[in-house]
Amino acid sequence: MACTSCRVPRAVLDEVAKLTRDNGMSVSMLINLLLDAHLRGQGRPGYDELAPWYPDYVMRRGQSNRP
């Protein structure tokens, strides 16, 4: 697992946070979905190939069966 950060304008992050709250997800989950969609859109492997253990990791809030 890796952690990263990015710089976005506060107004943009506030709007994204509202969107994610309204949809019952975290900002982190939205970013992961966007990354997966972008990889697949570029013909690259997505999360299902690169990290098939990731859904279990997310659902267990950090406890994973990762090999």
Side-chain angles (χ1 to χ4, degrees):
M1 190 53 75
C3 293
T4 188
S5 65
C6 63
R7 297 180 192 278
V8 296
R10 171 59 64 187
V12 172
L13 184 57
D14 289 346
E15 197 62 29
V16 168
K18 287 177 194 172
L19 174 70
T20 58
R21 273 194 311 273
D22 291 347
N23 287 287
M25 67 172 60
S26 66
V27 172
S28 180
M29 180 56 72
L30 177 62
I31 291 169
N32 277 284
L33 292 170
L34 293 171
L35 289 171
D36 186 52
H38 185 73
L39 285 169
R40 290 169 175 276
Q42 296 295 309
R44 309 292 297 187
Y47 277 47
D48 60 336
E49 288 183 60
L50 298 171
W53 50 267
Y54 190 69
D56 287 339
Y57 175 86
V58 170
M59 296 309 292
R60 293 190 176 136
R61 299 183 188 267
Q63 299 175 9
S64 141
N65 290 333
R66 182 179 171 195

